[in-house]
Amino acid sequence: MKMQKCVFLTCSILLALFSANAQEVRRYIQPEYKMRYRDTVGTFLQVQNYFDRTYYTKEIYFRIKEGDEYYGESLSPDSTNGLSKVVRTIHKKADLRINKCFEIKDIIIQENKINRVEIREETGTLSLIMVDVERYDTANIPVIILTKEKDKKKKADTIALGTLPLTQSLPTGSYKVLIKTIPEYVFTFYSKPAIVKLKYIREPVFFDIKNEKELAEIRIEAYNYYKKKYYKCYNKVFDGSFDKIKILPKVLYKVQYRKIGKRKFKKKVFYAGAGKFHNRLLP
């Protein structure tokens, strides 16, 4: 029996867990929900938004812990009716994970029924997932969530402060999100009941300078591929030292720098690779 569980772990949920732990880092919250059952032939799961009657169909799986080991069952919901057949997780206490964001503890699936999970979370949910994670030593990137005011003269209220990765419940309304990477990542969205807004943020990488004591000033610009131009993201007048900064990977950067005793700026362009430590010599 244990051998069967190990084989099943390898074939189904292991890939999902590897993705979450080795390449993606995310947080889960437990939403408000209600279970409903309907007799049928076979055993099925259906996860539905109670407010708009749409179905959740992304990354639905059961996670069961026995001792120090995990196993489970990964499901494939039908895109039209949200139904997915349950085979192995029947009459077992399991954690149900939904849409890379929700986790419902200790669900027990009943046999020969449609087990409908109605998500009744009256707030919307923002999920900021870190991707391309190799080291996870660049944690504590600040996140600020503000109300988005129609009246530009009215000061926006700070709703939440946190760090990456982040999952945050938000009342219905418009919001502005500032992720304090370099360059700063900013977006707006509208929160609706039981709706999940997913955003993927690449793990920042370190940028350092080998010959920092020779420099008087540095300016860094990041290239915007959509607008096809550079924009300012960092500036520093040196006071004898340069602390490593965290920059977004897979971005083209232009560094302009001035050495001590010089007035003219020199220029260097480089591409930041994911998972790399960028220690530059600025000649």
Side-chain angles (χ1 to χ4, degrees):
M1 184 65 179
K2 283 191 174 291
M3 179 62 72
Q4 289 178 338
K5 289 180 179 178
C6 290
V7 171
F8 179 62
L9 169 62
T10 305
C11 294
S12 60
I13 197 173
L14 185 58
L15 290 176
L17 293 178
F18 177 80
S19 174
N21 294 327
Q23 297 176 14
E24 292 185 353
V25 180
R26 64 189 81 143
R27 299 190 189 279
Y28 291 88
I29 61 171
Q30 175 149 323
E32 294 291 331
Y33 74 98
K34 184 173 182 177
M35 295 292 300
R36 292 185 182 276
Y37 305 96
R38 194 174 73 199
D39 292 336
T40 189
V41 177
T43 305
F44 299 89
L45 177 77
Q46 187 182 56
V47 187
Q48 186 178 56
N49 182 327
Y50 172 76
F51 300 97
D52 65 10
R53 299 306 184 189
T54 58
Y55 300 104
Y56 297 85
T57 58
K58 295 180 181 178
E59 196 166 317
I60 312 291
Y61 64 92
F62 292 108
R63 187 171 181 263
I64 302 173
K65 183 176 183 181
E66 283 193 2
D68 294 330
E69 296 183 355
Y70 288 95
Y71 70 100
E73 182 174 6
S74 188
L75 306 178
S76 300
D78 185 280
S79 59
T80 56
N81 58 24
L83 288 173
S84 49
K85 190 174 181 62
V86 180
V87 178
R88 299 177 182 268
T89 314
I90 300 172
H91 300 312
K92 296 176 183 178
K93 188 179 288 187
D95 297 338
L96 175 62
R97 287 188 167 180
I98 306 162
N99 209 28
K100 299 186 177 184
C101 176
F102 294 144
E103 181 180 56
I104 300 175
K105 299 282 190 180
D106 299 337
I107 274 185
I108 297 178
I109 296 299
Q110 297 186 15
E111 193 171 7
N112 289 324
K113 293 183 185 296
I114 294 176
N115 296 257
R116 178 186 292 172
V117 181
E118 292 181 347
I119 304 298
R120 298 189 171 205
E121 186 66 40
E122 294 186 358
T123 61
T125 304
L126 172 66
S127 179
L128 301 176
I129 299 172
M130 290 182 67
V131 296
D132 294 336
V133 176
E134 295 188 12
R135 302 180 313 272
Y136 197 45
D137 58 0
T138 56
N140 301 321
I141 300 294
V143 179
I144 304 171
I145 302 176
L146 306 168
T147 56
K148 190 173 183 296
E149 301 294 342
K150 293 181 180 179
D151 185 354
K152 293 183 178 180
K153 294 181 180 180
K154 187 176 179 181
K155 186 178 179 181
D157 294 325
T158 300
I159 298 298
L161 298 171
T163 58
L164 290 177
L166 177 131
T167 299
Q168 181 70 45
S169 296
L170 295 163
T172 300
S174 295
Y175 296 91
K176 182 178 181 180
V177 181
L178 292 81
I179 302 173
K180 307 299 281 186
T181 53
I182 297 174
E184 188 175 72
Y185 190 92
V186 181
F187 66 93
T188 60
F189 79 103
Y190 190 83
S191 178
K192 297 180 181 180
I195 295 293
V196 176
K197 175 68 173 180
L198 293 175
K199 274 285 184 180
Y200 298 91
I201 313 298
R202 294 190 181 100
E203 181 189 30
V205 296
F206 282 117
F207 173 83
D208 200 2
I209 301 171
K210 289 182 179 180
N211 55 330
E212 62 183 47
K213 296 191 181 299
E214 301 177 19
L215 303 183
E217 188 175 356
I218 185 173
R219 302 168 184 170
I220 301 178
E221 297 179 341
Y223 188 71
N224 187 313
Y225 293 94
Y226 297 104
K227 296 183 178 180
K228 296 183 178 180
K229 67 177 183 179
Y230 286 95
Y231 59 97
K232 295 178 182 178
C233 63
Y234 184 82
N235 183 72
K236 180 179 175 65
V237 177
F238 280 68
D239 54 6
S241 65
F242 177 77
D243 295 328
K244 292 190 293 286
I245 61 174
K246 299 166 187 175
I247 60 176
L248 289 178
K250 298 188 178 180
V251 174
L252 187 66
Y253 291 93
K254 180 168 63 178
V255 180
Q256 298 183 71
Y257 60 96
R258 177 173 61 86
K259 290 194 171 184
I260 295 173
K262 303 290 184 180
R263 299 178 62 182
K264 188 176 180 180
F265 279 84
K266 293 184 178 181
K267 181 178 71 174
K268 190 176 182 69
V269 175
F270 75 98
Y271 179 79
K276 294 182 179 180
F277 179 79
H278 296 272
N279 193 2
R280 318 301 299 187
L281 176 66
L282 300 178

